[in-house]
């Protein structure tokens, strides 16, 4: 057989039937999907479709329901939703999970959290799986050696009824990270650097494999940050070859295999890697040593710059379309070309989201905040990625660090990442945010989002403006 | 899903790059449990001001584009969240096809699943069609899917589409029903697959 990429192996191994006579990119296959995770806002119409057609869920035990998008994150938790629409979604979700036999972590469940944080920490996602789920950041699972990609509601319904998707093969891209990250530079900066380089649609039509010594050196949680946010570069599926760090991460997780089954699984998982001479349709190399802490200045995740840099000048952009988009972004962000990014003041600081609210993220942010106070006029919020992360952070006293620094220590959920609950920016408010999307109005109509790593958010909160985290780290 | 053969009507230009699904369907319209009522939400913040009044300068609010059936868009249209509400809302607003250079992946699949035709052509052709769409005298197009052509006056722009997607659009197929015709094949695959990797079978 000709050499294959890991992506090819997983697609070949999950192909139930070919749907046309093509092969390679664009070929359509009926693809077996191992697992899905459901949330309350993209699933209701899928369940309604099943109900109307009198269809059952093919394999209910392969699905997990988690309430995360609409619930409040106030420190005192109850089952009240902030509005009637959200309450209705949560109620219908519970009804659907019950009627179709799907396990549900509702808002008061001790394992509730953001779906992409909850599923890995449960051991629900394993290497070699193909996971399609109704949220674009399903790419997160690439870090575990599972091919993850987001799907819409019609495809959720298709999956639930058949355990398969009608799937078109992607082209393949490999992103190799060479070298070592400098102190103060994180996985978030790696993925932001990639998106800045290839653009917000640079990986559209591609399944992306991350590889190289720079990736191997990262923790599994750091790898999740990269896989998660790669979708902002257009990646339509993300994978990393599973290694010992992944096996160590999964060992002992509640839903991971045990005993002899674990040994057999690890033997199989150890074979999951691209053939050495496999050919990718596109190759990108990044040098970790050249990556600096980045912040976004615009309204698309590729509109980013090193924090020590300046707001760019649209007039210097030769392409007319890009010039117009840049000007529009600066108008929305209320930024003037040439302004030093480190002088841009903030009113809000948000540490949360499926990109950056795992325990390691909270540790990094707390490391900056220990013994410091956030600046007057800044409101800071920490929303742990899951209730389990919250408990683990409390067990090591991180909650005290955040609270003493002046941050609100909240319950888990998507929260200000997309502001579908009552956590919203007021018009014109500027937020340093550890999230993944700086779209217009994403965090609230008229709100202005600057994406960065969680440690950079902590540093900005202390300074009251965007700042290079390495300045604060040096003072410590 | 809605079948598509030949559709004619006005086109409107939306040239910005990276028009994301938060812009196409803002979060306050995602609180339903059915597909209804999404036409008001489509491009809400572009179409309406803070008081809810139509913004007279936005193209879809101008009388010459009242019956718009097609959008001519910038690159990477539909990026961001997987929300299918964006596609449902566009269709409820009367949009039947979108012409651009590139579309985001999940959005493209969602469009295909609902009968919203996405047409990818090259940058020069998009620019030509955007100029026509911007001109109220010449903004009417026809799209002939069986012939894979965009027609505007004397202009004919051919486009590519995978044969299976074209066939499904023309016939308005129910994908789930079609897949369930292969239930025995799925079952046999699943048995083999779980026998080989028993830790996945629980
Ligand atoms: S945290 Fe944000 S990006 Fe992640 S699932 Fe929730 S809304 Fe989506």
């Amino acid at each position: 057989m000709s050499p294959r990429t890991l992506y090819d192996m997983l697609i070949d191994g999950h192909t139930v039937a070919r749907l046309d006579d093509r092969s390679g990119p664009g070929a359509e296959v009926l693809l077996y999907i191992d697992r899905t995770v459901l949330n309350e806002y993209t699933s209701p119409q899928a369940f309604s479709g099943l109900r109307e057609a009198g269809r059952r869920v093919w394999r209910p035990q392969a699905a997990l329901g988690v309430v995360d998008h609409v619930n409040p994150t106030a420190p005192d938790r109850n089952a009240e939703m902030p509005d009637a629409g959200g309450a209705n979604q949560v109620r219908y979700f519970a009804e659907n999970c019950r009627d179709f036999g799907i396990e549900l972590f509702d808002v008061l469940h001790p394992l509730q959290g953001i779906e992409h944080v909850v599923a890995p920490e449960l051991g629900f996602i394993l290497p070699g799986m193909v996971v399609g789920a109704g949220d674009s950041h399903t790419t997160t699972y690439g870090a575990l050696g599972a091919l993850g990609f987001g799907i819409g509601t019609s495809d959720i319904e298709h999956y639930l009824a058949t355990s398969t998707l009608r799937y078109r093969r992607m082209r393949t891209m490999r992103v190799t990270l060479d070298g070592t990250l400098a102190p103060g530079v994180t996985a978030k900066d790696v993925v932001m650097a990639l998106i800045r380089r290839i653009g917000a649609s640079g990986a559209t039509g591609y399944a992306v494999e991350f590889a190289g010594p720079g990736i191997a050196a990262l923790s599994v949680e750091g790898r999740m940050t990269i896989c998660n946010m790669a979708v902002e570069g257009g990646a339509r599926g993300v994978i990393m070859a599973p290694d010992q760090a992944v096996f160590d991460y999964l060992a002992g997780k509640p839903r991971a295999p045990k005993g002899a089954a674990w040994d057999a699984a690890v033997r199989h998982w150890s074979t999951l890697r691209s053939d050495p001479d496999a050919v990718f349709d596109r190759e990108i190399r990044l040098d970790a040593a050249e990556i600096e802490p980045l912040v976004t200045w615009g309204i698309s995740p590729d509109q980013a710059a090193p924090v020590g840099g300046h707001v760019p000048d649209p007039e210097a952009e030769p392409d007319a379309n890009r010039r117009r988009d840049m000007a529009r972004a600066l108008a929305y962000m209320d930024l003037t070309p040439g302004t030093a990014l480190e002088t841009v003041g903030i009113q809000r600081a948000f540490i949360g989201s499926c990109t950056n609210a795992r325990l390691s993220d909270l540790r990094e942010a707390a490391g900056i905040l220990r013994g410091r106070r956030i600046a007057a006029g800044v409101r800071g919020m920490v929303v742990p990625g899951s209730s389990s992360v919250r408990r683990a952070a409390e067990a090591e006293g991180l909650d005290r660090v955040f609270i003493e620094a002046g941050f609100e220590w909240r319950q888990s959920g998507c929260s200000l990442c997309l502001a579908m609950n009552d956590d919203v920016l007021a018009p014109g408010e500027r937020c340093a945010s550890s999230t993944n999307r700086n779209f217009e109005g994403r965090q609230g109509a008229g709100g202005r989002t600057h994406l960065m790593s969680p440690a950079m958010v902590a540093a900005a909160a202390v300074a009251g403006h965007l700042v290079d985290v390495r300045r604060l780290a040096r003072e410590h | 899903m809605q079948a598509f053969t030949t559709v004619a009507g006005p086109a409107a230009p939306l040239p910005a790059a990276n028009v994301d699904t938060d812009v196409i369907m803002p979060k306050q319209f995602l609180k339903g449990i059915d597909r209804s009522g999404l036409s008001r939400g489509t491009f809400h913040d572009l179409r309406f001001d803070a008081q809810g009044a139509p913004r007279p300068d936005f193209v879809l609010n101008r009388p010459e584009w009242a019956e718009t059936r097609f959008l001519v868009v910038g690159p990477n249209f539909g990026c961001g969240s997987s929300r299918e509400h964006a596609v449902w809302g566009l269709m409820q607003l009367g949009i039947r096809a979108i012409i651009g250079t590139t579309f985001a992946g999940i959005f493209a699949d969602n469009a295909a699943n609902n009968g919203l035709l996405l047409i990818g052509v090259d940058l020069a052709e998009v620019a030509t069609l955007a100029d026509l769409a911007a001109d109220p005298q010449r903004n009417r197009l026809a799209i002939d899917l069986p012939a894979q052509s965009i027609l505007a006056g004397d202009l004919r722009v051919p486009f590519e589409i995978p044969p299976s997607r074209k066939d499904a659009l023309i016939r308005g197929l129910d994908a789930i029903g079609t897949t369930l015709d292969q239930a025995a094949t799925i079952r046999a695959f699943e048995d083999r697959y779980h026998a080989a990797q028993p830790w996945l079978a629980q």
Side-chain angles (χ1 to χ4, degrees), chain A residues 69 114 116 135 137 353-354 414 417-418 436 442:
Chain A
H69 281 72
I114 306 169
H116 312 301
D135 190 281
H137 293 96
S353 89
C354 58
C414 293
C417 177
L418 91 165
N436 45 53
R442 169 87 175 177

Side-chain angles (χ1 to χ4, degrees), chain B residues 56-86:
Chain B
D57 50 339
F58 182 61
V59 61
L60 295 177
N61 288 337
R62 294 169 57 186
E64 304 92 323
W65 284 270
E67 297 293 317
T68 292
R69 291 288 166 268
F70 312 116
L71 301 177
V72 183
V73 301
N76 201 30
F77 187 87
C79 62
S81 140
S82 64
R83 58 188 72 163
E84 198 164 312
H85 310 67

Side-chain angles (χ1 to χ4, degrees), chain A residues 14 28 32 34 45 58-59 83 89 152-155 158 166 201 236 324-325 418-420 437 439 441-442, chain B residues 15 17 20 22 27 30-32 34 76 80-81 84 103 105 109-110 113 162 164 179 189-190 193 200-201:
Chain A
H14 286 76
E28 196 181 16
Y32 190 75
D34 294 281
Q45 298 84 353
W58 182 280
R59 201 174 147 73
D83 58 83
Q89 285 183 330
T153 301
S154 296
D155 278 338
H158 191 285
R166 305 177 80 86
S201 59
R236 190 71 180 91
R324 181 203 57 218
D325 290 338
L418 91 165
M420 252 181 98
R437 288 185 176 141
F439 300 160
R442 169 87 175 177
Chain B
D20 57 74
D22 280 75
K27 54 190 141 278
L30 305 178
K31 293 288 183 71
D34 58 20
N76 201 30
S81 140
E84 198 164 312
F103 300 93
D109 287 348
N110 290 342
N113 284 329
S164 58
T179 299
F189 172 91
E190 193 168 48
Y193 176 77
L200 297 179

Side-chain angles (χ1 to χ4, degrees), chain A residues 38-44 66-71 86 89-90 93:
Chain A
L38 299 158
N39 66 50
E40 72 281 10
Y41 105 92
T42 63
S43 71
V66 187
V67 172
D68 55 5
H69 281 72
V70 305
N71 60 274
Q89 285 183 330
V90 168
F93 193 41

Side-chain angles (χ1 to χ4, degrees), chain A residues 35 123 143 183 233 265 324 340 432 451:
Chain A
R35 296 272 154 95
R324 181 203 57 218
L451 303 177

